[in-house]
Amino acid sequence: MDKSEFTQAEEQMIQHAFEELLDAYAHTPHTQKVDLITRAFNFANKAHHGVRRLSGEPYLMHPLAVAMIVVKEIGLGSTSICAALLHDVVEDTDYTIEDIQRLFGDKIAEIVDGLTKISGGVFGNKASEQAENFRKLLLTMSNDIRVVLIKIADRLHNMRTLSAQPKEKQYKIAGETQYIYAPLAHRLGLFPIKTELENLSFKYEHPDTYAEIEAKLALVKGDELERFEQFVAPIRQQLTEMGYEFTINARIKSVYSIYKKMQTKNIPFEDVYDMIAVRIIFTPHEGLSEKDQCWMIYSAITEIYRPHPERIRDWISTPKANGYEALHVTVMGQAGSWVEVQIRTTRMHELAEKGLAAHWKYKTGEEENELDKWLKTIKEILDNPEPNAIDFLDTFKLNLFAHEVFVFTPGGDILTMPQGSTALDLAFFLHSQLGEHCIGAKVNHELQPMSYVLRGGDQVEILTSPSQHPQPDWLNIVSTAKAQTCLKTYFRREERLLTKKGEQLFNDAVQMMKAQDAKDTILQRTLNYYHLTLPTQLYWQIGQGAIHLDNLQQVAFPKKSLWKRINPFSSSSSKQGTAIAPDSAQAQPKKAPHSIVLTDDGLNKDYVLADCCRPIPGDEVLGYMDEDGLIHIHKLDCGEAQKLKTAHGKQICSANWNTHHVQSFVEQIEIRGIDKFGVLVKVLTVVATQFNINLRTIHVTSEDGIFTGLLEVYIYDRHELKDLFNALMNMPEVMSAHRVIGNNNQLL
């Protein structure tokens, strides 16, 4: 960060931003503590004076922007505003937490300390810095959830100003945001922030695709809003007659959600019909429950428009796990297309917009709702974290974006479980001991295996046996983070016990031999005999009975000359010592260059193309440098690339193609269409004759008049593939044509 004196205009800009912050704060229901906030602003202004961001603006504009998000978009109060203003002071200046504590009290100092710890820290050689950061972030939930909310606000402003960062930094930050911060915002009920984080991440990862969809959306937006006004006119009249104060808003799909729908449904932009949803927010009448009034409005709407019987979502009777409440119904509009209508009270709307902060505002009594249960689950995972930071991140992510199913206990209590949960997941959800001894379940009074996948409305009774113990294949049965954490903790505990038992058995066997040689010599010879590298591996196999010690004498002292017996061990021992250097001695991964150019002669020499996504020239790609210095090229939207950007940001580089049709690449494409006579000949004519593309394999099936063709073709680049698809789609018989990457279909 640069340091220089600010101009008068910059000083005025800072003061104006602070006055806007105070104005936003004045319009909140919080107890006004303007003096405290002013002191925090003056302190931060002094600490960051003369410091600039990469964009060139005064650094203080960042804490001010974060504080504005905290108060206006999340709805927090003076303590959080002060912490947001001060969140970078300890990390970036000479001031300490003790200074913050002395000037602003324990609570603000505790939150600033939590935010500082998330940013810094010393990490293990093999652990991911980012994953360790996330672990620290979640640990703060145990103390004060506001740390997490301010961190999300900090990330949102960083994403809004990401254009000032170099390309490789943009990839890392956008990937990290998409992988963990957007799902975390969703899980905490911050829906507008979650949507913006997803959109911004997509914008920086796929700028061309983003711009293309944004331009198309701008063209149709006017027509969509006109249809919206026609659709809601009779609803407005009906609600007015019912005496409600209300607002009706149009919710336009975000660019990212449109892209996601195009990918999952394999459809072009023009076929995304549900661009707009209708949101009704009303002030309920006194004397009637909110639930009853939502259903009354539902009845009024379905008197006007015909509802879709399978697309009613009652999130009022059973709120989502992130606290979301609303009644959704999809109805047939005037234009013959389905329109989703969301019905909410003003309280429900604030919960949906401001998430956890609003959840606490409206909470009454000691009852535990779904958000409280989720936070408790996170704390349980943190009590037994994965030793590997990346595995921990994956385990935690299982708790994000999980759709719910509702099941009942034998006593009639309702439980919320992630979609795809099994009976064994439910057993661990109820109690780890119940999970460890589970043998199956009674579902709706019928016996089912522990692998039974729960369905909404099931009544489930867990069956146990004291003789039952977890088996390694149980990890393939469970899908929830809590169950996986419990099982891995159990296996680690068992491994430690077996290792300790094996070590004792080995020591006893060595003592019984009464050998002149030291125990270390016998141990090394035994390791070499069984081709093992670590004593713990040997002890564990002895403990579980895989290795028996009856022949230890022959293993340690085979009938050969002393020279032949000892010399090979000393030689291999030295080699082994090199091979199994402890983690702390391992070489650090090389730092990747900022960017690389992908050329025809560099393939498999300077870089390799990843098998998981099989990129070809023209695809948007990035590079990941492994510990050996080899760069792996992944597509930007590859799942593995998302994880690498999050976990190994320093080893990511931007990559650009500079190839000249020297080398071809095998691509698998799928074509579907109407099975008319001669259609296959037409397809092959386009591929082989019109484009002169070589075929590797072809497989065609036909069912109910629809043909599906899987072709492997040799392609030079993405542009050639796109031209081929355009030509195929111009055939009247062809309905769709796309690449097949792994198990996922992808449009160009």
Side-chain angles (χ1 to χ4, degrees):
M1 288 179 287
D2 298 328
K3 192 154 189 176
S4 58
E5 286 301 312
F6 296 152
T7 64
Q8 186 178 356
E10 287 173 329
E11 296 282 7
Q12 289 174 348
M13 178 174 68
I14 291 171
Q15 194 59 40
H16 179 67
F18 178 58
E19 288 168 5
E20 285 186 332
L21 174 66
L22 290 181
D23 183 59
Y25 177 59
H27 286 85
T28 68
H30 295 288
T31 305
Q32 297 293 295
K33 297 181 181 177
V34 176
D35 289 345
L36 178 66
I37 294 172
T38 304
R39 280 200 293 118
F41 164 72
N42 290 333
F43 185 81
N45 196 4
K46 180 183 175 185
H48 294 300
H49 187 73
V51 180
R52 298 179 183 276
R53 302 188 83 204
L54 280 179
S55 61
E57 71 175 6
Y59 189 84
L60 189 63
M61 294 302 293
H62 169 64
L64 280 166
V66 174
M68 180 65 95
I69 293 168
V70 159
V71 66
K72 200 168 184 179
E73 299 182 51
I74 302 180
L76 298 174
S78 58
T79 300
S80 301
I81 295 169
C82 291
L85 289 170
L86 301 168
H87 79 272
D88 279 334
V89 166
V90 174
E91 185 183 356
D92 294 341
T93 74
D94 294 332
Y95 289 105
T96 65
I97 285 295
E98 287 70 30
D99 294 327
I100 305 290
Q101 189 174 22
R102 176 170 48 81
L103 292 168
F104 299 99
D106 293 342
K107 180 48 71 177
I108 290 174
E110 182 184 316
I111 295 174
V112 172
D113 189 36
L115 289 161
T116 304
K117 283 175 179 172
I118 293 166
S119 300
V122 180
F123 311 102
N125 293 314
K126 295 182 72 176
S128 149
E129 294 185 18
Q130 287 76 26
E132 286 292 353
N133 278 343
F134 294 134
R135 182 184 285 176
K136 289 175 183 176
L137 173 66
L138 298 171
L139 280 166
T140 60
M141 283 185 173
S142 305
N143 300 322
D144 198 318
I145 194 71
R146 286 176 291 189
V147 178
V148 180
L149 296 172
I150 297 168
K151 184 61 184 174
I152 289 173
D154 177 50
R155 176 50 59 109
L156 177 58
H157 185 249
N158 283 334
M159 287 300 297
R160 287 173 176 173
T161 56
L162 195 58
S163 59
Q165 296 285 352
K167 194 79 172 175
E168 74 278 1
K169 201 80 179 285
Q170 290 178 2
Y171 285 158
K172 172 199 168 302
I173 294 171
E176 190 176 282
T177 301
Q178 185 77 281
Y179 190 75
I180 203 80
Y181 280 101
L184 186 57
H186 174 91
R187 203 59 177 77
L188 295 174
L190 301 167
F191 294 105
I193 290 178
K194 164 251 181 186
T195 300
E196 188 175 354
L197 288 175
E198 285 179 338
N199 236 26
L200 288 169
S201 298
F202 179 58
K203 179 180 180 179
Y204 284 103
E205 291 189 324
H206 303 278
D208 294 340
T209 310
Y210 181 92
E212 184 182 335
I213 295 174
E214 188 179 41
K216 288 180 177 179
L217 185 59
L219 289 174
V220 302
K221 199 170 182 179
D223 293 338
E224 291 289 336
L225 290 174
E226 189 177 325
R227 277 197 289 270
F228 163 78
E229 289 300 335
Q230 293 172 356
F231 177 84
V232 300
I235 298 176
R236 288 188 200 277
Q237 183 181 343
Q238 187 64 40
L239 292 180
T240 303
E241 290 174 6
M242 294 170 73
Y244 281 112
E245 288 183 23
F246 64 90
T247 57
I248 303 182
N249 300 327
R251 185 183 62 82
I252 304 285
K253 264 190 183 299
S254 70
V255 172
Y256 176 70
S257 64
I258 291 171
Y259 170 77
K260 208 162 66 167
K261 187 141 198 172
M262 288 166 62
Q263 294 298 315
T264 54
K265 300 277 188 184
N266 281 318
I267 55 175
F269 176 89
E270 291 70 24
D271 288 350
V272 180
Y273 293 114
D274 54 344
M275 292 282 188
I276 199 164
V278 175
R279 183 175 291 157
I280 298 171
I281 304 154
F282 72 97
T283 304
H285 296 318
E286 292 184 8
L288 282 171
S289 71
E290 289 185 351
K291 180 180 176 181
D292 287 345
Q293 292 182 70
C294 285
W295 282 107
M296 286 165 61
I297 291 174
Y298 163 84
S299 297
I301 292 168
T302 53
E303 285 291 318
I304 303 168
Y305 298 113
R306 183 165 57 85
H308 192 304
E310 295 179 5
R311 293 182 66 180
I312 298 168
R313 301 288 181 266
D314 179 7
W315 302 116
I316 301 173
S317 304
T318 48
K320 287 188 178 183
N322 52 23
Y324 179 80
E325 294 179 58
L327 182 59
H328 292 193
V329 57
T330 299
V331 298
M332 178 63 74
Q334 299 105 322
S337 58
W338 294 106
V339 180
E340 183 183 76
V341 182
Q342 303 170 359
I343 305 167
R344 305 173 177 174
T345 64
T346 47
R347 177 192 66 83
M348 294 173 188
H349 182 64
E350 190 173 359
L351 281 168
E353 295 291 299
K354 295 183 177 172
L356 196 63
H359 149 75
W360 277 343
K361 172 183 171 182
Y362 287 107
K363 186 172 177 178
T364 56
E366 296 299 317
E367 79 281 1
E368 187 177 62
N369 71 5
E370 296 303 327
L371 259 176
D372 297 315
K373 291 173 186 173
W374 179 74
L375 290 171
K376 186 190 288 183
T377 304
I378 294 302
K379 289 171 186 174
E380 287 174 2
I381 293 171
L382 290 165
D383 288 339
N384 298 287
E386 288 287 337
N388 179 288
I390 305 300
D391 290 343
F392 166 76
L393 191 59
D394 283 342
T395 303
F396 167 71
K397 200 168 189 296
L398 286 172
N399 265 321
L400 301 175
F401 269 150
H403 298 291
E404 300 93 3
V405 293
F406 302 99
V407 296
F408 295 90
T409 66
D413 294 328
I414 192 167
L415 299 172
T416 308
M417 294 294 294
Q419 204 165 43
S421 298
T422 61
L424 186 57
D425 281 306
L426 179 60
F428 277 108
F429 174 80
L430 294 168
H431 198 282
S432 58
Q433 289 291 317
L434 205 61
E436 288 176 12
H437 299 293
C438 176
I439 57 172
K442 272 189 179 177
V443 181
N444 305 324
H445 308 292
E446 291 184 7
L447 197 61
Q448 297 288 356
M450 63 176 73
S451 58
Y452 172 84
V453 179
L454 302 174
R455 292 181 295 210
D458 281 343
Q459 187 175 40
V460 189
E461 178 186 356
I462 301 299
L463 304 176
T464 61
S465 167
S467 61
Q468 176 75 300
H469 298 288
Q471 303 300 315
D473 64 348
W474 286 18
L475 284 168
N476 299 323
I477 294 175
V478 298
S479 63
T480 59
K482 181 175 181 181
Q484 288 201 0
T485 300
C486 288
L487 282 171
K488 289 175 182 177
T489 301
Y490 175 87
F491 294 139
R492 285 199 296 271
R493 187 171 67 240
E494 287 297 298
E495 187 176 331
R496 285 195 297 270
L497 291 172
L498 287 171
T499 301
K500 192 173 180 180
K501 175 186 173 184
E503 184 176 13
Q504 187 60 52
L505 289 170
F506 182 81
N507 291 340
D508 292 346
V510 170
Q511 274 191 329
M512 288 177 65
M513 286 170 58
K514 297 180 181 176
Q516 296 293 321
D517 300 64
K519 175 198 163 188
D520 290 346
T521 304
I522 297 172
L523 175 61
Q524 189 59 58
R525 293 173 182 176
T526 310
L527 287 172
N528 288 338
Y529 181 86
Y530 288 108
H531 305 291
L532 300 172
T533 56
L534 298 173
T536 51
Q537 295 172 332
L538 175 66
Y539 298 150
W540 179 69
Q541 293 205 32
I542 294 170
Q544 67 170 354
I547 290 178
H548 298 282
L549 298 174
D550 303 341
N551 62 340
L552 185 59
Q553 181 77 33
Q554 289 78 19
V555 169
F557 303 110
K559 293 181 180 179
K560 295 179 181 178
S561 69
L562 185 64
W563 172 257
K564 287 182 180 176
R565 190 171 69 224
I566 294 176
N567 194 50
F569 285 116
S570 61
S571 172
S572 64
S573 174
S574 65
K575 289 180 185 174
Q576 197 67 47
T578 304
I580 59 166
D583 289 347
S584 59
Q586 288 183 357
Q588 291 287 335
K590 298 176 183 176
K591 191 175 187 304
H594 292 305
S595 62
I596 60 169
V597 177
L598 308 175
T599 60
D600 295 307
D601 59 355
L603 182 58
N604 295 324
K605 186 170 66 176
D606 302 325
Y607 61 88
V608 293
L609 303 180
D611 289 332
C612 50
C613 55
R614 302 206 309 267
I616 60 174
D619 285 334
E620 293 177 305
V621 291
L622 57 75
Y624 162 70
M625 179 177 278
D626 64 18
E627 293 178 359
D628 298 322
L630 184 64
I631 295 179
H632 301 257
I633 304 301
H634 289 267
K635 293 186 66 182
L636 276 181
D637 53 5
C638 164
E640 186 65 23
Q642 291 284 0
K643 188 187 289 189
L644 290 171
K645 282 183 286 186
T646 303
H648 301 286
K650 291 181 179 176
Q651 289 151 259
I652 296 296
C653 61
S654 63
N656 295 296
W657 298 96
N658 185 20
T659 55
H660 302 89
H661 285 202
V662 173
Q663 185 165 342
S664 59
F665 303 85
V666 176
E667 275 295 319
Q668 189 178 60
I669 64 175
E670 182 185 276
I671 306 168
R672 299 186 80 244
I674 308 299
D675 188 13
K676 290 184 178 178
F677 181 77
V679 68
L680 180 58
V681 174
K682 287 185 179 180
V683 168
L684 295 178
T685 300
V686 170
V687 174
T689 305
Q690 186 177 336
F691 283 87
N692 199 26
I693 290 173
N694 288 327
L695 275 166
R696 185 185 185 189
T697 63
I698 181 169
H699 178 74
V700 181
T701 57
S702 177
E703 186 175 352
D704 297 330
I706 302 293
F707 81 89
T708 302
L710 283 173
L711 287 72
E712 283 189 337
V713 295
Y714 289 96
I715 288 290
Y716 284 120
D717 57 29
R718 180 185 175 94
H719 304 296
E720 184 180 28
L721 195 57
K722 188 172 184 178
D723 290 342
L724 172 62
F725 284 166
N726 288 338
L728 290 170
M729 290 298 292
N730 283 332
M731 293 174 55
E733 299 89 349
V734 174
M735 296 186 299
S736 67
H738 53 256
R739 294 167 76 176
V740 179
I741 300 175
N743 293 322
N744 298 317
N745 294 338
Q746 188 181 64
L747 290 168
L748 283 172

